[in-house]
Amino acid sequence: YFVSQIADSFYGLSYVLKRGIIMRLYDLESPEQIQYLSLDQLKELCDDIRYFLIDSLSKTGGQLASNLSIVDATVAMHYVFHVPQDRVLFDVGYQCLTHKILTGLSTRFATLNRFEGLDPYCDPHTSRFDTWKATHAGQSLSIASGLASARDLSNETYQVLCVIGDEALHAGASLEALERIGERKQKVILIYNDNQYSDAQNHHLQQALSNLRSTKLFRQAGNGMKSSLASNRLGKSVLHTFGSVKDSIKESVSKQSLFDVLNFHTIGPIDGHNLEDLIAAFQHAKECEGPVVVHLHTQKGYGSRFADQQADWNPLVPFNKETGKPLFLLPKSQITWSEYVEMLLIEQAKDDGKLVVISSKQSSFKHFAHCYPKRTFIFPCSDQHCISFACGLAAEGYHPFVAMPSAYILKSLDAIQANLAYMNLPIVLGISDIGLNGQAGSIFHGIDDLLHLETIPNLVLATAKDAKEFKDLFYTAFQSNQPFVLRYPNQSTSFDLESEANIIELGSWSQFQIGMQPKSIVFCYGDTVDRLLAKAKENNLEMIIVNARFFKPIDTKILRELFALHLPIHICETDRRGSLARAIEAELSHCSVLGIDDHFVGQGSVRTLRICEHISIESFLEDILSDAD
């Protein structure tokens, strides 16, 4: 497949270097090579990279629209600066695909998102041109400040650059880092990708503090002067003349941006797709002293006849490169878990006028927002704010549902513990994308939230084995009147909205016995329950399978009854090992525990990763049967 990709796609016009070498896209091994190209050749290279990205990602899936927006700026950046001597950070990290092409990785794009294939994020362990492995949005400027401090302490002269999108720039950590960089006058070059079709619907920072005319100090000064001058004839004459001067001053002052206030030298806004202007801007930034921001206006999906017309187009799956439509569609009997949760929320809101939905993902809950716009709150890249905001609503009698990806929980633990749990507020926290998330990348597996949340008092933690049980748990959560964490994956599910929802006793488990004389007991949760049941029945395996749907509290009654049988016990986890086992092991001294070990999980299909991490059904059965023998 890999060889055929190269043979079928001979990308690139011939770029004739000054030294007489003919080069194609696949010949790129270092950014230094493009520094021999003319401006026209650089423009051809940008067009070629865009075509390459569309063609490659149509086969593998990936973040296309955002990467298309930053092609020209990345080429210009590598033309002016010298990586890896100069340090470059990408925030959010998936904007780095053009960087990967320019640093010699274009021949590996057929393996993008595949098991042990090309990582969609930067990784200094695999490429000398990468400065930092992927981070969650909003952390890059703090890292950049640290790199700049190390450079200055060592009397080095390399540049520190941060390519940052508007979502990440609005994060609290970014604002704090901006203040520190500006206060210390550190030479950090911030390349602000102000994206026209950004997923984040928030006000640009360029406008955030620009209108200083509205400040109290400015109004008081203006009003005081006006009153003083109006008290006499000469003053009135001066006041009339001063009016036009004041307007000029106000116009000048109002252009001051947040970056100016924080001691950044601002270049732009400039057209992020004009290569000549980009090169000039970066050369200017390189020569400046102190912190610099190069403000780019770019178009999301630039160069694509489908991605640049739809603000919400951003499929992570393979798609038709002519139409943009995904190649793989779900059966009509199935929907994604996120869609199912939204349907339940819409039904719940019909009878609950206090229900509000809060999320940090702009693409979430569009149907709910259409039905209940005043009860939908989206705060892009502000997970901790989502929690604290929900706490304020809950304290005043509202019933918030907060949706948050599992991988982002760590950023919100302080708010969850200090505000949500400590106040013991009736908030339903929907943790999405739990478990292994296949090709999303190593930092986006949702396998760590349980280990952290289990230590926080007052929380109820639950995972359903199927859609029907999820509906019951969903109803139970809103009736419980306490902090309730409800976890669900990012895959698809069969659904039935017609069935009645029932309250499930908090902490209760269910069990299934296969055969008259079970040889072992298996504790599991989520979709593992039904999959393991099916395999056990298919192979006539006699065992007791426990659906441990609650992690806090646990069903101590079932535990005591099963321990009394003195059968081998196995705990099958699809999260970090110990997530369920810690609770059970507190009641039992000897048992076999299977789960994901203490290391980062790479990318690949869920099936491949389950086998690699020894959490597949086959791995579970192998351990169970070997113990039974």
Side-chain angles (χ1 to χ4, degrees):
Y1 172 78
F2 174 66
V3 174
S4 68
Q5 290 294 299
I6 299 179
D8 294 341
S9 306
F10 219 75
Y11 295 103
L13 300 172
S14 295
Y15 307 112
V16 182
L17 308 184
K18 290 182 180 179
R19 56 176 66 172
I21 300 174
I22 295 179
M23 180 183 67
R24 294 180 187 273
L25 199 62
Y26 280 127
D27 296 325
L28 282 171
E29 296 179 353
S30 167
E32 292 182 1
Q33 292 173 271
I34 73 168
Q35 293 170 3
Y36 296 99
L37 302 180
S38 66
L39 182 62
D40 288 339
Q41 289 172 331
L42 288 173
K43 292 178 180 178
E44 291 174 357
L45 175 62
C46 291
D47 292 338
D48 207 31
I49 289 174
R50 271 186 281 268
Y51 180 82
F52 176 85
L53 287 173
I54 294 170
D55 187 69
S56 295
L57 270 61
S58 71
K59 299 179 178 69
T60 63
Q63 298 278 0
L64 176 62
S66 297
N67 276 286
L68 290 176
S69 75
I70 201 71
V71 169
D72 305 278
T74 306
V75 169
M77 178 183 68
H78 280 294
Y79 183 79
V80 173
F81 298 96
H82 302 278
V83 178
Q85 292 87 353
D86 294 327
R87 315 295 201 259
V88 179
L89 300 167
F90 288 89
D91 190 358
V92 289
Y94 55 68
Q95 297 183 91
C96 69
L97 292 187
T98 299
H99 165 78
K100 286 183 175 290
I101 293 170
L102 297 177
T103 55
L105 296 176
S106 58
T107 57
R108 296 196 61 206
F109 265 66
T111 70
L112 185 71
N113 295 325
R114 301 295 190 258
F115 181 64
E116 295 186 344
L118 181 63
D119 194 321
Y121 300 90
C122 288
D123 186 352
H125 300 108
T126 59
S127 174
R128 67 186 183 91
F129 297 103
D130 292 352
T131 300
W132 206 267
K133 198 168 175 65
T135 64
H136 287 302
Q139 300 177 15
S140 62
L141 281 168
S142 297
I143 298 169
S145 180
L147 292 172
S149 295
R151 174 199 61 200
D152 298 340
L153 288 170
S154 302
N155 295 318
E156 300 283 349
T157 58
Y158 59 82
Q159 303 287 345
V160 176
L161 300 97
C162 183
V163 183
I164 189 167
D166 46 9
E167 289 182 35
L169 193 57
H170 285 76
S174 292
L175 298 176
E176 187 173 351
L178 280 173
E179 183 178 14
R180 174 178 174 79
I181 292 169
E183 180 185 3
R184 297 176 66 88
K185 294 183 172 58
Q186 292 180 307
K187 180 57 185 296
V188 172
I189 299 175
L190 190 160
I191 301 173
Y192 173 26
N193 182 21
D194 187 356
N195 212 300
Q196 183 178 353
Y197 287 114
S198 173
D199 289 333
Q201 290 185 352
N202 44 44
H203 297 292
H204 300 311
L205 282 178
Q206 185 70 15
Q207 300 170 350
L209 291 182
S210 65
N211 194 1
L212 297 185
R213 287 171 292 177
S214 65
T215 64
K216 183 177 181 180
L217 179 63
F218 192 97
R219 291 197 308 270
Q220 287 178 342
N223 292 336
M225 182 178 292
K226 185 176 180 180
S227 299
S228 177
L229 291 173
S231 62
N232 57 74
R233 178 183 295 182
L234 178 60
K236 290 179 180 179
S237 176
V238 172
L239 180 62
H240 176 75
T241 305
F242 178 76
S244 59
V245 177
K246 182 183 68 172
D247 290 338
S248 299
I249 294 173
K250 286 162 64 176
E251 181 180 358
S252 175
V253 172
S254 69
K255 292 180 180 178
Q256 191 173 27
S257 72
L258 173 62
F259 301 119
D260 298 318
V261 172
L262 296 177
N263 295 324
F264 276 75
H265 175 65
T266 304
I267 302 173
I270 62 174
D271 182 358
H273 303 297
N274 186 315
L275 202 59
E276 189 172 6
D277 289 350
L278 286 167
I279 291 172
F282 290 152
Q283 287 175 335
H284 181 194
K286 188 175 182 178
E287 295 167 359
C288 289
E289 296 182 359
V292 183
V293 58
V294 182
H295 184 174
L296 313 179
H297 275 312
T298 64
Q299 183 175 335
K300 193 170 186 177
Y302 184 80
S304 167
R305 54 178 169 270
F306 46 85
D308 63 352
Q309 298 299 320
Q310 304 175 49
D312 59 351
W313 188 93
N314 207 13
L316 298 179
V317 297
F319 57 89
N320 185 311
K321 65 181 180 181
E322 300 299 327
T323 65
K325 294 182 178 180
L327 296 181
F328 307 109
L329 300 176
L330 291 176
K332 292 183 179 180
S333 61
Q334 291 195 331
I335 57 176
T336 66
W337 270 99
S338 294
E339 290 171 335
Y340 181 59
V341 171
E342 185 173 27
M343 292 171 69
L344 292 178
L345 286 167
I346 291 173
E347 288 299 311
Q348 178 75 12
K350 293 177 181 178
D351 301 321
D352 185 354
K354 294 287 189 176
L355 173 66
V356 293
V357 171
I358 303 164
S359 176
S360 63
K361 295 177 68 175
Q362 184 62 42
S363 58
S364 301
F365 306 109
K366 291 186 176 180
H367 295 296
F368 186 92
H370 177 74
C371 298
Y372 303 100
K374 292 184 178 181
R375 289 198 265 163
T376 307
F377 302 92
I378 307 296
F379 304 107
C381 201
S382 304
D383 302 283
Q384 192 173 38
H385 174 62
C386 286
I387 298 294
S388 299
F389 177 81
C391 290
L393 282 166
E396 294 299 321
Y398 280 85
H399 308 148
F401 178 89
V402 183
M404 185 178 302
S406 171
Y408 295 172
I409 281 294
L410 278 175
K411 297 195 295 181
S412 308
L413 283 179
D414 180 61
I416 292 173
Q417 178 169 318
N419 297 326
L420 171 57
Y422 190 77
M423 293 288 291
N424 202 24
L425 295 167
I427 294 173
V428 180
L429 179 56
I431 306 297
S432 66
D433 303 341
I434 64 169
L436 298 174
N437 285 310
Q439 301 165 349
S442 57
I443 67 169
F444 291 106
H445 293 301
I447 58 176
D448 294 310
D449 59 282
L450 280 174
L451 284 175
H452 298 292
L453 293 173
E454 282 178 331
T455 63
I456 300 178
N458 293 336
L459 296 184
V460 176
L461 306 178
T463 300
K465 72 180 183 68
D466 56 28
K468 175 58 176 72
E469 186 170 77
F470 184 90
K471 184 175 184 178
D472 292 341
L473 287 170
F474 180 88
Y475 181 69
T476 302
F478 279 101
Q479 298 298 316
S480 67
N481 201 38
Q482 65 184 98
F484 201 112
V485 178
L486 193 51
R487 307 171 72 243
Y488 53 96
N490 69 342
Q491 299 153 9
S492 61
T493 181
S494 299
F495 66 100
D496 177 17
L497 289 177
E498 301 302 322
S499 61
E500 290 292 327
N502 302 305
I503 291 182
I504 298 177
E505 182 184 353
L506 295 185
S508 65
W509 293 348
S510 60
Q511 56 181 312
F512 309 88
Q513 181 171 322
I514 301 98
M516 298 300 295
Q517 295 181 324
K519 304 293 192 300
S520 57
I521 301 169
V522 182
F523 292 92
C524 53
Y525 56 90
D527 64 352
T528 300
V529 176
D530 286 339
R531 294 170 62 226
L532 192 55
L533 271 170
K535 283 287 186 179
K537 292 177 180 178
E538 179 184 331
N539 294 280
N540 296 317
L541 304 175
E542 296 185 305
M543 63 178 64
I544 296 174
I545 296 177
V546 180
N547 173 22
R549 57 197 173 197
F550 284 98
F551 304 92
K552 276 184 72 177
I554 62 172
D555 196 328
T556 54
K557 179 181 178 181
I558 281 184
L559 279 176
R560 287 193 294 267
E561 291 174 353
L562 295 178
F563 292 170
L565 299 177
H566 301 291
L567 293 174
I569 289 179
H570 305 269
I571 303 172
C572 302
E573 300 179 314
T574 51
D575 293 281
R576 186 76 68 188
R577 186 164 68 179
S579 299
L580 172 63
R582 290 196 304 188
I584 296 176
E585 287 173 341
E587 304 287 335
L588 178 68
S589 57
H590 299 290
C591 65
S592 169
V593 180
L594 293 179
I596 297 172
D597 285 323
D598 187 20
H599 65 261
F600 288 106
V601 178
Q603 65 204 39
S605 69
V606 172
R607 173 67 177 164
T608 302
L609 293 174
R610 284 179 181 269
I611 294 172
C612 183
E613 296 298 328
H614 306 292
I615 60 168
S616 65
I617 296 300
E618 291 78 11
S619 299
F620 291 156
L621 289 176
E622 181 180 353
D623 182 81
I624 294 165
L625 294 176
S626 64
D627 194 84
D629 294 340

